[in-house]
Amino acid sequence: FLQEGIALNIWLGAFNMLPIFILDGQKVYTWDKKIWAALAIPLWATTIAIFILWYTVGNYQRNTLRP
């Protein structure tokens, strides 16, 4: 349960940092592009890594635990 909550919050943070006019990412991007990149790139990299691990390692563990 905790893992899903952490993954969801990281994904929401990454989504919020998209430089689209209604999201906070646009405000940060127009304020300072370096700060935006310092926040957005690690968030998206972490989000991608979590979902890759989730669907590879997580599925492997679920399939091996079944009788």
Side-chain angles (χ1 to χ4, degrees):
F1 180 72
L2 181 62
Q3 293 171 345
E4 289 89 0
I6 291 170
L8 178 65
N9 277 312
I10 290 173
W11 182 83
L12 286 172
F15 181 79
N16 198 30
M17 287 308 293
L18 288 174
I20 299 175
F21 65 96
I22 59 173
L23 299 176
D24 290 334
Q26 177 65 34
K27 297 170 189 167
V28 176
Y29 186 78
T30 55
W31 173 60
D32 192 350
K33 291 180 175 100
K34 290 179 184 178
I35 299 292
W36 176 83
L39 291 171
I41 292 170
L43 277 171
W44 277 104
T46 305
T47 300
I48 291 168
I50 285 173
F51 283 108
I52 288 172
L53 289 173
W54 194 308
Y55 287 112
T56 57
V57 176
N59 284 337
Y60 174 75
Q61 289 176 350
R62 282 188 215 114
N63 291 336
T64 57
L65 294 177
R66 292 183 182 169

